[in-house]
Amino acid sequence: MSNKLNHSMSLAKPDAFGISRKQKIALAIGIVGLFILALALFNVDFSNKALFLTLSLGLITTGTVIYSRDAYLTKLEGIKNDGAWFKSISSRGAWGWIVGVVLTTFYIVLYFYPTLLGLGKDGAANTGLISLFDPLSNLLSGRPASQWFVYGTLYTVAIFAFGYKFILKYRHNRYEQIRTISVMFFQLAFAFLIPEFMYRMNSNLPYYDLKSVWPLNYYIFDEWSVKGFLSNGNIGLALIIFGIVSIFVITPILTYKYGKRWYCSWVCGCGGLAETAGDSFRHLSSKKMSAWKLERWLIHAVLVFSVVMTVAMVYTYLGYDSNDFWLTKGVFIGLVIGFLTLVFVVIMYFKRSELGKDAKYGAIGFFATIALLMGMHFTGTTEEVFFIKGSSLRSAYGLYIGSIFSGVIGTGFYPILGSRAWCRFGCPMAAILGFQQRMFSKFRITTNGGQCISCGNCSNSCEMGIDVRAYAQKGENIVRSSCVGCGICSAVCPRGVLKLENGSMEGRINPTEVLLGNDVDLMELVNQK
């Protein structure tokens, strides 16, 4: 019995939540699995790598499963957000910072110093941690492992193990269970297995994650990638066409019908990891107005950067002579500027009133993009754009967006900034889908303000930093570009105030529809419904 004096007058338990004996055993099992990986990292030579890899991943998964079952199956179904702010690891405490530092260090080594993980240089055999994964890589694709195969394997294991934990935690909500199974499937099949099998069938075909749409898969339009696809006949051409159709046809249609949730919460690997492994940190996302302002400027700045860099990437390997190929540098720039102008004019004509003050910021982004593209065209040469070599520019794009932001900061900072820092502040795909969702999607989260008790569960659980309670209190529909439709706000609401819906466009945005007592003709609103 503890002799510690507790001066709190709270009826709720104010101390940090402890863990049971079974959970401690589960943690020990998982740590043993991690210890095997650590031994491999320090070049311990395992006689049977396949056995020890299976043992390591199996122990990590088993430990997570046992911990999850004891944590959630011993409780009734329902809301499980108790203790989140009392645990060191999930409240920016010492353990949270330690985990953040470890994750960030791992990503830095993975992206910039893979030889420290044992990657063989210039055809040399792998050593260390990467060599431990050689048997699995040879089994799937017939080639030795790379740092990306190691990462992909650990990524997939994390989504499956913590996905099981997520399903148990939200087992009272069918939407959350199906959504989690979906991200587990797409990660395993589309992001992990299919690219490996494609390499086994055709080793000359460039890597292509079929579920990754531009601008996330910016590499699909790189010169070596385009040449690689075109040199592989019809299948390569089909993959390029599929990538283009995904951008201009599939994505807008699905976003119109279901909002950005179809991708960000059901398909995307980044979102899948954030929802599963990052679930314990979702409440850390800042709900401050200053964070929202930073988010809107930063994510759209990244989108402008992505558009310009992609255009520059293609621009560098096009020519000036139409006799060689009809798509010259000038024609390409003209087509891009024409398309962007068309989108801008249509939005301003049909959606200007809905945009309000945001129209000004949209215009700034549009004219900044056009100015950069024009500057690129008139200052570019056969080898340089913006007075920088094309190869260096492509490397910079992959480094700053694909590596530092999405990996090192986006995932490494889970315990500090919340689980969706990358999705919220940096993902250009989220910016495009959010723009489409805000402008012409049928998706919205409806609220029944009369039932709201202002408990704050919804806002606390929103990983995108949306103050959901503020909308619920006023009875407003939630139509935000940043909302990924994860549905956790609805799942943790004790009164059923929030509901994810796909309805008509009319009445979707209702900033004047507020609670009783305001100057609103309620009968007129009812008749409109």
Side-chain angles (χ1 to χ4, degrees):
M1 181 176 178
S2 175
N3 294 320
K4 176 184 176 183
L5 291 177
N6 193 335
H7 300 285
S8 174
M9 299 180 66
S10 172
L11 294 176
K13 181 180 178 182
D15 297 322
F17 280 53
I19 60 176
S20 67
R21 179 176 298 179
K22 184 177 288 188
Q23 290 172 0
K24 291 178 181 178
I25 294 174
L27 286 173
I29 292 173
I31 290 173
V32 171
L34 291 172
F35 184 66
I36 294 175
L37 296 181
L39 291 177
L41 181 63
F42 290 102
N43 289 312
V44 172
D45 187 19
F46 295 108
S47 57
N48 190 330
K49 289 184 172 61
L51 174 62
F52 278 93
L53 175 63
T54 304
L55 185 62
S56 173
L57 299 182
L59 288 173
I60 293 172
T61 304
T62 302
T64 306
V65 168
I66 295 175
Y67 185 99
S68 303
R69 292 181 66 85
D70 188 72
Y72 299 115
L73 293 184
T74 55
K75 301 178 182 178
L76 295 174
E77 294 184 7
I79 302 167
K80 300 289 188 303
N81 59 0
D82 52 310
W85 287 103
F86 291 98
K87 298 174 182 176
S88 175
I89 194 171
S90 60
S91 61
R92 299 192 185 98
W95 278 112
W97 280 97
I98 290 172
V99 172
V101 170
V102 170
L103 286 174
T104 303
T105 303
F106 170 74
Y107 271 91
I108 291 173
V109 173
L110 177 76
Y111 280 105
F112 306 112
Y113 307 101
T115 54
L116 297 179
L117 299 177
L119 181 66
K121 297 179 64 176
D122 301 324
N126 292 325
T127 58
L129 178 64
I130 295 179
S131 68
L132 186 66
F133 288 77
D134 279 341
L136 181 58
S137 182
N138 283 316
L139 176 66
L140 295 178
S141 63
R143 57 179 171 175
S146 65
Q147 77 270 36
W148 306 120
F149 181 82
V150 173
Y151 179 51
T153 304
L154 296 176
Y155 202 102
T156 304
V157 169
I159 286 182
F160 266 75
F162 287 98
Y164 179 76
K165 172 179 176 288
F166 189 91
I167 289 174
L168 294 183
K169 182 178 180 180
Y170 297 100
R171 65 187 188 278
H172 67 290
N173 191 293
R174 186 167 177 266
Y175 177 82
E176 298 304 329
Q177 292 182 317
I178 296 175
R179 184 174 67 86
T180 305
I181 292 172
S182 174
V183 296
M184 292 163 71
F185 165 75
F186 278 102
Q187 173 60 33
L188 177 64
F190 283 73
F192 185 62
L193 292 180
I194 290 179
E196 298 299 321
F197 294 156
M198 288 175 63
Y199 181 86
R200 179 176 282 277
M201 292 185 292
N202 188 343
S203 60
N204 294 320
L205 200 64
Y207 172 82
Y208 191 13
D209 178 358
L210 293 174
K211 69 175 177 56
S212 197
V213 185
W214 177 89
L216 288 180
N217 65 343
Y218 54 88
Y219 50 82
I220 189 178
F221 298 118
D222 205 345
E223 182 176 14
W224 67 269
S225 185
V226 172
K227 288 182 177 179
F229 283 122
L230 295 179
S231 64
N232 280 277
N234 291 334
I235 185 172
L237 180 61
L239 290 174
I240 292 180
I241 294 175
F242 175 75
I244 296 174
V245 171
S246 297
I247 300 169
F248 296 105
V249 180
I250 298 176
T251 292
I253 290 176
L254 290 177
T255 306
Y256 167 71
K257 291 179 66 66
Y258 306 110
K260 66 192 288 188
R261 60 177 171 160
W262 75 267
Y263 188 80
C264 294
S265 289
W266 288 69
V267 174
C268 179
C270 295
L273 189 69
E275 291 290 340
T276 53
D279 177 65
S280 298
F281 311 108
R282 63 186 313 117
H283 56 284
L284 297 177
S285 121
S286 176
K287 312 303 187 294
K288 294 179 180 179
M289 182 63 71
S290 57
W292 185 19
K293 291 179 179 179
L294 174 64
E295 166 196 333
R296 295 199 295 173
W297 278 103
L298 190 56
I299 195 171
H300 292 102
V302 171
L303 176 59
V304 170
F305 180 72
S306 299
V307 170
V308 174
M309 289 300 100
T310 303
V311 173
M313 193 161 54
V314 177
Y315 185 88
T316 55
Y317 58 82
L318 293 177
Y320 291 98
D321 190 353
S322 59
N323 293 324
D324 296 332
F325 187 56
W326 68 271
L327 188 61
T328 61
K329 293 178 183 289
V331 171
F332 178 64
I333 288 292
L335 289 174
V336 172
I337 292 177
F339 174 76
L340 294 176
T341 303
L342 176 64
V343 171
F344 178 74
V345 170
V346 169
I347 292 298
M348 287 298 169
Y349 182 79
F350 290 102
K351 297 290 183 178
R352 174 67 182 84
S353 59
E354 291 183 13
L355 282 171
K357 293 187 299 183
D358 291 339
K360 178 178 69 175
Y361 304 121
I364 293 174
F366 167 73
F367 288 113
T369 304
I370 298 302
L372 288 170
L373 294 178
M374 295 292 290
M376 178 186 69
H377 180 58
F378 289 109
T379 62
T381 65
T382 55
E383 295 183 357
E384 295 182 346
V385 288
F386 299 120
F387 305 106
I388 303 173
K389 284 188 176 181
S391 57
S392 301
L393 201 65
R394 293 192 292 271
S395 299
Y397 181 33
L399 173 66
Y400 293 115
I401 301 301
S403 300
I404 295 178
F405 209 152
S406 67
V408 176
I409 297 177
T411 306
F413 282 33
Y414 273 7
I416 310 303
L417 299 178
S419 56
R420 289 253 191 184
W422 158 247
C423 308
R424 183 182 180 187
F425 295 102
C427 178
M429 181 66 178
I432 292 176
L433 294 180
F435 173 77
Q436 295 172 354
Q437 176 172 272
R438 180 69 174 76
M439 290 295 100
F440 59 80
S441 174
K442 292 184 175 184
F443 172 71
R444 85 291 306 272
I445 300 179
T446 58
T447 62
N448 181 359
Q451 293 293 319
C452 180
I453 59 175
S454 300
C455 66
N457 278 352
C458 52
S459 294
N460 183 70
S461 296
C462 182
E463 58 197 346
M464 297 304 291
I466 301 173
D467 188 2
V468 181
R469 179 173 58 180
Y471 289 87
Q473 288 171 331
K474 294 181 290 185
E476 287 187 22
N477 290 343
I478 301 172
V479 181
R480 285 273 289 268
S481 297
S482 56
C483 178
V484 293
C486 67
I488 297 296
C489 58
S490 176
V492 301
C493 178
R495 301 278 290 175
V497 173
L498 305 159
K499 185 178 180 181
L500 282 69
E501 292 187 357
N502 300 311
S504 66
M505 294 293 291
E506 186 176 356
R508 175 170 167 265
I509 300 177
N510 56 349
T512 59
E513 296 182 24
V514 292
L515 291 175
L516 292 170
N518 291 277
D519 187 17
V520 177
D521 189 339
L522 296 178
M523 290 307 301
E524 181 182 352
L525 292 176
V526 171
N527 292 330
Q528 288 178 359
K529 299 297 183 185

